Amino acid sequence: MSKAIAAFGEDRAHREIIGALIARVAEELGLSVQVDWRNARRGHGKVVSELAEYFRDLRA
């Protein structure tokens, strides 16, 4: 069974670190995951605002 995960990051380093963490947890739980990457550049504040917008879209 494959699970879809949305992940946010600011740059390639975030993708690598967060992606490795997701992969490790998924492996330990015996899950197959598909990561849908959302990028937000221009610092922490932009990532937070993009994440808030994503949650608003999910609720709508």
Side-chain angles (χ1 to χ4, degrees), residues 1 3 10 12 14-15 19 22 32 36 40 45-46 48-49 55 60:
M1 176 186 223
K3 299 284 185 179
E10 184 181 2
R12 193 174 92 181
H14 287 160
R15 269 183 100 142
I22 291 170
S32 172
D36 178 19
K46 183 65 174 171
V48 171
S49 67
F55 283 131

Side-chain angles (χ1 to χ4, degrees), residues 11-30:
D11 55 29
R12 193 174 92 181
H14 287 160
R15 269 183 100 142
E16 289 180 21
I17 293 168
I18 294 167
L21 178 61
I22 291 170
R24 171 122 186 212
V25 171
E27 182 180 339
E28 289 180 7
L29 296 175

Side-chain angles (χ1 to χ4, degrees), residues 34-52:
Q34 191 72 6
V35 181
D36 178 19
W37 286 101
R38 310 293 176 132
N39 295 318
R41 301 195 188 278
R42 297 187 204 111
H44 172 76
K46 183 65 174 171
V47 172
V48 171
S49 67
E50 289 289 328
L51 181 59

